[in-house]
């Protein structure tokens, strides 16, 4: 889970949601999968936040340097 | 004494008669015109005897001739008359003259002769002028007078072929004018007769020598002032034609105030005096040098103007370049700003889009989860109702019962029992035992059979 890429995470997330929607999933497995989905969502969110933060930092530094 | 005297006459008597008759017949002097012949060979004798003749216009054959004499005593008178006519001509063979004569008979020779008393120079001058005009017209028509004028006059005429009497006044005037200029003239003088019967031939010879020599810029024919006599020798067809054939321009300085010779007309240019001829050459050289100075000034001015023009253009080009560069930079700057703006905006938009997508997936997950739970519990409820339906207790409550053999075996068909057997029937709230009386083997409705 540590080194998973954002796009791969989204892919896995979509797969879990699809399986739940299609009721392909076993009830015994459900909580595990939901837990995994929630963790993926959290991972994506943190990746996005991190990216946004970094972008802002870079752009701010650039604009400061320019002015 | 009469002519018809019966007496025989002696020759002298006869000649005396003839003389008397002639004297009576020509009581006055007469003007006679004609062409002189035989004068030149006798000109230095005390009394000059010669002939006057008349020629036929076309054939030039002599049609009439008479002898003349100028007695030594009359020579002075005639020379005085010619001097008054500015010595425009002198007596010589082949010229037309008009003499005032006494018709005379010379008894010792038995010959009629004219004793020259005086001369009318205007007649000869008119004839000479006529002849000159005729010659000019002829030469003009042949192009002889223009040929030398067509020769290009050198810009710097420094090497000069001079035709004049060496060390004459003309020579000295000419040379001193040249040397006074300080320019490097080179004069090659051909000592030439400039008057007299041989002048024409000598001048022609001199011209031909210079033509053959070559290396000259210009040839000058000049002579000094003094006697105007013999100027007519320059009204020469031979000289004019030789000048026309010269490869270099010929300048003449033999002119007279009122009399322009054919040599003058044939030359490239003519001047009144040797000094004037020399000055024209000095001025030509001076003009060239002045022209050089002016040209060098012009050149300098033009070069400066050109440099200034180029400088101006260069400056303008530099300005243009600066402006173009400035605008280009400004444009690039704007472009950069636009890109920057994109850079600051687009990534954040991407991030926000991604966040929204994750959010949407969160929602999708919970809604999928809800749907799953709903479906699972619905399925469970269904299973429960099916199970409840199949529960025997529930069936018994509806009136059905179970009958078992004493060993507990469930009775499912009539073959399992015999009359007399005790069986237990179980109901929902207890059971009872009964004994089998009769066995009826037939098909019944299902409900009945169980009963």
């Amino acid at each position: 889970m540590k080194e998973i890429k954002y796009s791969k995470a989204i892919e896995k997330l979509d797969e879990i949601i699809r399986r739940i929607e299609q009721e392909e999933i076993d009830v015994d497995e459900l909580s595990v999968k939901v837990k995994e989905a929630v963790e993926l969502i959290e991972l994506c969110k943190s990746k996005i936040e991190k990216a946004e933060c970094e972008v802002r930092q870079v752009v701010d530094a650039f604009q400061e340097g320019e002015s | 004494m009469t002519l018809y005297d019966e007496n025989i006459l002696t020759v002298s008597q006869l000649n005396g008669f003839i003389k008397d008759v002639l004297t009576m017949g020509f009581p006055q002097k007469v003007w006679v015109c004609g062409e002189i012949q035989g004068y030149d060979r006798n000109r230095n004798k005390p009394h000059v005897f010669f002939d006057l003749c008349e020629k036929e216009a076309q054939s030039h054959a002599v049609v009439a001739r008479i002898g003349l004499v100028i007695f030594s005593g009359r020579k002075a008178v005639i020379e005085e008359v010619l001097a008054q006519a500015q010595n425009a001509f002198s007596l010589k063979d082949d010229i037309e003259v008009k003499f005032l004569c006494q018709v005379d008979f010379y008894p010792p020779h038995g010959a009629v002769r004219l004793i020259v008393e005086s001369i009318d120079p205007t007649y000869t001058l008119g004839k000479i002028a006529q002849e000159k005009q005729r010659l000019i017209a002829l030469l003009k028509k042949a192009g002889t007078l223009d040929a030398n004028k067509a020769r290009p006059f050198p810009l710097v005429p420094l090497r000069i072929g001079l035709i004049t009497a060496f060390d004459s006044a003309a020579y000295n005037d000419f040379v001193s004018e040249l040397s006074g200029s300080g320019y490097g003239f080179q004069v090659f003088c051909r000592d030439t007769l400039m008057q007299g019967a041989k002048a024409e031939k000598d001048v022609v010879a001199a011209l031909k020598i210079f033509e053959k020599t070559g290396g000259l810029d210009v040839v000058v024919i000049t002579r000094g002032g003094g006697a105007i006599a013999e100027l007519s020798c320059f009204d020469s067809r031979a000289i004019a034609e030789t000048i026309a054939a010269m490869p270099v321009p010929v300048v003449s300085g033999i002119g007279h105030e009122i009399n322009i010779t054919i040599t003058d007309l044939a030359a490239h240019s003519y001047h009144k005096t040797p000094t004037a001829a020399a000055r024209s050459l000095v001025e030509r050289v001076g003009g060239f040098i002045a022209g050089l100075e002016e040209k060098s000034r012009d050149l300098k001015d033009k070069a400066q103007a050109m440099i200034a023009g180029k400088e101006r253009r260069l400056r303008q080009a530099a300005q243009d370049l600066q402006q173009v560069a400035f605008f280009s930079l400004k444009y690039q700057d704007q472009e950069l700003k636009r890109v920057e703006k994109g850079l600051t905006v687009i990534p954040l938009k991407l991030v926000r889009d991604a966040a929204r997508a994750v959010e949407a997936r969160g929602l999708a997950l919970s809604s999928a989860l809800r749907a799953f739970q709903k479906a699972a519990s619905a399925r469970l409820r269904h299973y429960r109702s099916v199970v409840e339906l199949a529960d025997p207790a529930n069936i018994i409550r509806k009136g059905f019962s179970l009958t078992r053999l004493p060993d507990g075996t469930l009775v499912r068909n009539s073959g399992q029992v015999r009359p007399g057997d005790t069986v237990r029937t179980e109901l929902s709230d207890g059971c009872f035992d009964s004994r089998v009386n009769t066995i009826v083997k037939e098909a019944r409705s299902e409900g009945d059979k169980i009963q």
Side-chain angles (χ1 to χ4, degrees), chain A residues 6 14 17 20 34 37 59 62 66, chain B residues 340 344 354 361 365 368-369 375:
Chain A
Y6 177 82
D14 284 342
I17 292 167
I20 293 170
V34 169
V59 167
F62 169 69
E66 197 188 36
Chain B
E340 272 171 36
T344 56
R361 278 172 181 78
L365 181 63
L369 213 49

Side-chain angles (χ1 to χ4, degrees), chain B residues 33-67:
Chain B
C33 65
E35 190 181 305
I36 293 174
Q37 285 195 343
Y39 180 90
D40 291 353
R41 66 171 183 263
N42 295 323
R43 66 191 314 152
N44 295 323
K45 292 175 181 168
H47 311 299
V48 186
F49 291 86
F50 59 103
D51 285 350
L52 207 56
C53 61
E54 181 185 338
K55 284 177 176 172
E56 216 246 345
Q58 251 75 56
S59 65
H60 298 285
V62 175
V63 292
R65 179 189 294 273
I66 194 163

Side-chain angles (χ1 to χ4, degrees), chain B residues 97-122:
Chain B
V97 289
K98 179 180 164 189
F99 287 129
L100 182 63
C101 304
Q102 179 67 57
V103 181
D104 183 47
F105 186 78
Y106 185 55
H109 290 171
V112 176
R113 62 181 189 183
L114 302 177
I115 299 167
V116 178
E117 299 286 341
S118 186
I119 184 168
D120 177 8
T122 55

